[in-house]
Amino acid sequence: MAHPRRRSRIAQSLPHFPIKAEAVPAWNLPSYVLGQAVTPDHHLVFKQVSHQLKPLLEIVYPQDIATRLATEIFDLIQGTLCPSGQENLRKWNHNNVLLITYGDSIVDGERPPLEVLAEFLENHLEGTVTGVHILPFFPYSSDDGFAVIDYLQVNPELGGWEHIKRIAQHFNLMVDLVINHVSSQHEWFQQFTAGELPGRNYFVTGDPGEDLSQVVRPRSTPLLTPVETATGIRHVWTTFSADQVDVDFENPDVLIEYVKIILAYVQAGARYIRLDAVGFLWKKRGTNCMHLPETHAMVRLFREILQMIDPGIALITETNVPNRENLSYFGNRNEAHMIYNFSLPPLLLNALLQGRSDHLKTWMMSMPPAPIGCAYFNFTASHDGIGMRPAEGLLSDDEYEQLIDTMRKHGGKISLRTRPDGSQSPYEINISLFDALKGTVNGEDQWQVERFLCSQTIMMALEGIPAFYIHSLLATHNYTEGVEKTGHNRTINRYKWDLEALEAALADPTTPHAKVLKELTRLIKIRRQQTAFHPNATQYTLHPLNPALFAFWRQSLTRDQSIFSVHNLSDKPQELRFSNLNLVSTDDWFDLISDDKFADLDMVYILKPYQSVWITNKVNSAQDETMPTLL
């Protein structure tokens, strides 16, 4: 049953945000008033909610437990049920662009970092990005926030809930739910070691003598960690590190705890809920413990609950795995609303290092359109490294090794994982993306800014919602000194800017920081006006004869705007023959980026090194587009 002390902590620790509700009733219960005492209508609402949740719960739990859980979840959400339980197919459009940042990516040494971040966002990025993913801002013990000590508090070193609220009032807020594990300092784990309820039964344990070799590992550290408890030494499951202990969702009380946390984040203004490392959630001996049916059922359950309380909230899964496995989290358009497009960063990086588009095109042609009501979350850099597992099978062995070698030459680090056979292989490349593109496989050159901007322009044009890591917008270099201080490879791309130094760098138009932010701001604002860039608009891979060109066609949902997105991936000028693009002769065509007009559709256009063009037949298509009605 619900833990009363935790319920009071949720109420006391979070600022109050009214839950937004749709205006169209869909529960078919016109006399139902949210939060009222038990009535016949209340009983009907419970029956309908239970009818939707129980089939998912019964995939995971015995029938009697599923029935109990459906009742407990209803008790938690009944006061926030949205009058419209219908799916919202207009959660996003061409206007959506996100920023990814830590709460302390910018500091001034005096004010809470979240206050500094809020000010910087309002001064520099309001009107540019529409949403902000603040990486875990909770008290933590390691892994830069991903070993959470308390899900319901803001790390006092960053600020307080009032600062989160300020950002949420200006931007759509994305919050992490670190769902696979908690810090070894979390209250639940302290209860586990002391043999106290409820945490005593909240964690996955194992026998060091059992065969767990099939378990997929993202790290090279031991899977089981011995800990001293009130009943002696026990070995807990630690997928990521000894300080990050895996919770046990086989215990239904653990599920209830995380439902409470999700509701707390919604109350705190979250419009996106990111399920961190969700692919590892369910453990079953004799399997690889990845993407198990129970895990997918949990994602479906969380989506269903969110839809009941606010259909405008999007659920995002973070699964840094090979492409086919990643795509599975769309389910039958009933799991994640968005999935990270993990294959994009390594393939795009490789294409720009090699100066040719073949692997990028092959991958893109194999990517299915996102189902209606779902979208790709496109990114090229993040707080983590550039994942190499999503590139498995997509690059030749020689190119794979050349990519790794070039990244080392550009100052990058390589993090390893342990395979089932005990061998180790690259898990991710740790590097600032700006410095990753300081040259090609042939060495460094003068095209770093242009090459980097090309990478971001491609990402913006692809099917999906674009997300920029703050250090990409700011063209931050490798933080090599940070790696030396922390001993952690990922620190290389987690620099903390001093606000005064950053403002000085941005005020100097000759710095790469100023050049990149100014041009990306301009491009983002252009992009946000084009309905052909709707996350679900048509995308078709083009095949210009020149392998140095990467080209694709986007068409708006209403088919009135086309954009031919063409990019020179090389450090040499390249010819683009318009006759290869099939431009409709009755339309007037021009480039959104340069504003060049094209009267002659048989012309040959010369693309400068790393130049991009968005060739369109329509200006400023800013009207909202209605998604098709689903049967």
Side-chain angles (χ1 to χ4, degrees), residues 142-161:
S142 64
D143 200 13
D144 281 356
F146 287 88
V148 178
I149 295 175
D150 190 335
Y151 289 100
L152 302 177
Q153 298 292 336
V154 175
N155 183 351
E157 294 182 5
L158 296 179
W161 281 112

Side-chain angles (χ1 to χ4, degrees), residues 45-275:
V45 172
F46 166 73
K47 187 175 180 180
Q48 184 167 345
V49 169
S50 181
H51 176 74
Q52 292 175 236
L53 297 183
K54 277 187 64 178
L56 299 175
L57 292 165
E58 288 175 354
I59 295 173
V60 178
Y61 303 107
Q63 188 175 35
D64 59 332
I65 294 178
T67 300
R68 173 173 69 84
L69 285 172
T71 301
E72 290 192 32
I73 293 172
F74 176 75
D75 288 344
L76 289 171
I77 68 176
Q78 63 172 315
T80 55
L81 284 170
C82 178
S84 171
Q86 294 178 343
E87 182 177 8
N88 181 356
L89 297 179
R90 301 181 72 177
K91 283 191 282 291
W92 49 66
N93 59 25
H94 52 279
N95 191 47
N96 295 93
V97 178
L98 276 77
L99 173 76
I100 304 166
T101 181
Y102 273 107
D104 59 355
S105 290
I106 305 172
V107 297
D108 68 2
E110 297 178 358
R111 294 175 294 165
L114 282 169
E115 181 180 332
V116 177
L117 176 65
E119 179 183 282
F120 182 84
L121 294 175
E122 291 162 18
N123 290 342
H124 291 275
L125 294 175
E126 193 157 16
T128 301
V129 302
T130 60
V132 177
H133 173 199
I134 308 177
L135 291 156
F137 47 79
F138 316 105
Y140 71 96
S141 55
S142 64
D143 200 13
D144 281 356
F146 287 88
V148 178
I149 295 175
D150 190 335
Y151 289 100
L152 302 177
Q153 298 292 336
V154 175
N155 183 351
E157 294 182 5
L158 296 179
W161 281 112
E162 68 274 16
H163 302 118
I164 300 295
K165 176 180 178 179
R166 174 178 171 180
I167 294 171
Q169 288 174 336
H170 291 263
F171 304 90
N172 292 323
L173 177 66
M174 184 188 296
V175 176
D176 277 289
L177 180 59
V178 183
I179 197 168
N180 178 71
H181 50 262
V182 300
S183 164
S184 62
Q185 296 181 30
H186 193 288
E187 179 185 18
W188 297 343
F189 194 66
Q190 299 306 305
Q191 293 166 348
F192 172 84
T193 58
E196 299 173 355
L197 292 173
R200 183 175 69 194
N201 302 317
Y202 276 13
F203 296 93
V204 182
T205 60
D207 181 344
E210 63 183 318
D211 182 8
L212 299 173
S213 60
Q214 293 186 56
V215 176
V216 170
R217 301 304 319 287
R219 301 287 185 273
S220 56
T221 52
L223 176 62
L224 297 181
T225 298
V227 294
E228 184 71 49
T229 75
T231 57
I233 297 291
R234 298 185 70 184
H235 291 80
V236 292
W237 202 290
T238 51
T239 296
F240 286 85
S241 78
D243 187 45
Q244 294 163 288
V245 191
D246 292 23
V247 294
D248 186 2
F249 270 85
E250 276 197 71
N251 182 343
D253 293 336
V254 170
L255 169 62
I256 293 298
E257 295 282 10
Y258 281 91
V259 171
K260 292 179 189 177
I261 294 166
I262 288 175
L263 295 176
Y265 293 166
V266 172
Q267 182 184 335
R271 306 307 298 162
Y272 305 91
I273 304 291
R274 176 184 183 265
L275 300 180

Side-chain angles (χ1 to χ4, degrees), residues 164-467:
I164 300 295
K165 176 180 178 179
R166 174 178 171 180
I167 294 171
Q169 288 174 336
H170 291 263
F171 304 90
N172 292 323
L173 177 66
M174 184 188 296
V175 176
D176 277 289
L177 180 59
V178 183
I179 197 168
N180 178 71
H181 50 262
V182 300
S183 164
S184 62
Q185 296 181 30
H186 193 288
E187 179 185 18
W188 297 343
F189 194 66
Q190 299 306 305
Q191 293 166 348
F192 172 84
T193 58
E196 299 173 355
L197 292 173
R200 183 175 69 194
N201 302 317
Y202 276 13
F203 296 93
V204 182
T205 60
D207 181 344
E210 63 183 318
D211 182 8
L212 299 173
S213 60
Q214 293 186 56
V215 176
V216 170
R217 301 304 319 287
R219 301 287 185 273
S220 56
T221 52
L223 176 62
L224 297 181
T225 298
V227 294
E228 184 71 49
T229 75
T231 57
I233 297 291
R234 298 185 70 184
H235 291 80
V236 292
W237 202 290
T238 51
T239 296
F240 286 85
S241 78
D243 187 45
Q244 294 163 288
V245 191
D246 292 23
V247 294
D248 186 2
F249 270 85
E250 276 197 71
N251 182 343
D253 293 336
V254 170
L255 169 62
I256 293 298
E257 295 282 10
Y258 281 91
V259 171
K260 292 179 189 177
I261 294 166
I262 288 175
L263 295 176
Y265 293 166
V266 172
Q267 182 184 335
R271 306 307 298 162
Y272 305 91
I273 304 291
R274 176 184 183 265
L275 300 180
D276 175 69
V278 68
F280 300 91
L281 182 141
W282 200 270
K283 279 72 176 176
K284 183 180 293 184
R285 270 68 173 178
T287 74
N288 64 6
C289 297
M290 283 292 286
H291 320 308
L292 296 181
E294 293 86 351
T295 295
H296 285 281
M298 284 293 171
V299 176
R300 289 173 61 190
L301 178 70
F302 293 139
R303 173 175 171 142
E304 195 71 39
I305 291 171
L306 287 172
Q307 185 164 301
M308 289 177 177
I309 61 178
D310 189 339
I313 295 174
L315 187 69
I316 304 170
T317 52
E318 187 266 343
T319 51
N320 188 359
V321 292
N323 195 45
R324 187 180 184 89
E325 298 172 34
N326 191 33
L327 288 168
S328 71
Y329 283 87
F330 280 144
N332 186 21
R333 55 173 305 274
N334 57 359
E335 293 188 31
H337 295 105
M338 293 194 286
I339 65 171
Y340 276 70
N341 208 343
F342 270 110
S343 294
L344 176 61
L347 291 178
L348 181 55
L349 175 61
N350 183 71
L352 286 162
L353 294 177
Q354 296 284 350
R356 65 177 204 274
S357 63
D358 49 349
H359 295 307
L360 199 56
K361 286 198 304 182
T362 299
W363 163 75
M364 192 160 160
M365 288 187 293
S366 72
M367 289 291 284
I372 295 299
C374 302
Y376 291 110
F377 188 79
N378 291 330
F379 71 110
T380 54
S382 73
H383 60 292
D384 290 339
I386 297 169
M388 293 306 293
R389 289 210 68 208
E392 290 176 6
L394 300 176
L395 296 178
S396 68
D397 291 344
D398 288 345
E399 281 189 84
Y400 188 97
E401 293 302 324
Q402 195 171 32
L403 173 58
I404 296 291
D405 182 60
T406 303
M407 291 300 94
R408 286 195 175 104
K409 291 177 180 177
H410 291 179
K413 308 291 183 181
I414 310 299
S415 293
L416 304 176
R417 72 179 184 96
T418 300
R419 290 173 164 170
D421 63 4
S423 64
Q424 294 189 334
S425 65
Y427 180 70
E428 65 182 18
I429 300 167
N430 302 111
I431 194 168
S432 150
L433 184 63
F434 185 65
D435 278 357
L437 292 167
K438 66 170 62 175
T440 69
V441 293
N442 297 317
E444 296 183 21
D445 58 27
Q446 75 272 33
W447 300 108
Q448 182 175 12
V449 169
E450 291 81 1
R451 187 181 294 112
F452 179 78
L453 288 172
C454 180
S455 74
Q456 303 307 287
T457 308
I458 291 172
M459 186 262 287
M460 271 189 271
L462 290 170
E463 177 194 345
I465 296 173

Side-chain angles (χ1 to χ4, degrees), residues 415-529:
S415 293
L416 304 176
R417 72 179 184 96
T418 300
R419 290 173 164 170
D421 63 4
S423 64
Q424 294 189 334
S425 65
Y427 180 70
E428 65 182 18
I429 300 167
N430 302 111
I431 194 168
S432 150
L433 184 63
F434 185 65
D435 278 357
L437 292 167
K438 66 170 62 175
T440 69
V441 293
N442 297 317
E444 296 183 21
D445 58 27
Q446 75 272 33
W447 300 108
Q448 182 175 12
V449 169
E450 291 81 1
R451 187 181 294 112
F452 179 78
L453 288 172
C454 180
S455 74
Q456 303 307 287
T457 308
I458 291 172
M459 186 262 287
M460 271 189 271
L462 290 170
E463 177 194 345
I465 296 173
F468 295 85
Y469 186 40
I470 192 167
H471 292 304
S472 293
L473 283 180
L474 300 177
T476 307
H477 295 290
N478 289 333
Y479 183 31
T480 305
E481 314 88 78
V483 176
E484 294 171 356
K485 290 177 183 176
T486 67
H488 299 300
N489 288 347
R490 286 179 168 178
T491 306
I492 200 168
N493 199 24
R494 297 177 180 179
Y495 182 68
K496 292 177 174 57
W497 274 98
D498 173 77
L499 179 62
E500 184 177 355
L502 176 58
E503 294 288 8
L506 295 178
D508 180 353
T510 66
T511 66
H513 318 293
K515 291 176 182 178
V516 166
L517 181 60
K518 179 180 179 181
E519 182 62 7
L520 286 181
T521 297
R522 184 180 79 90
L523 292 172
I524 290 170
K525 289 180 177 179
I526 293 172
R527 191 252 186 222
R528 288 180 54 189
Q529 296 296 313

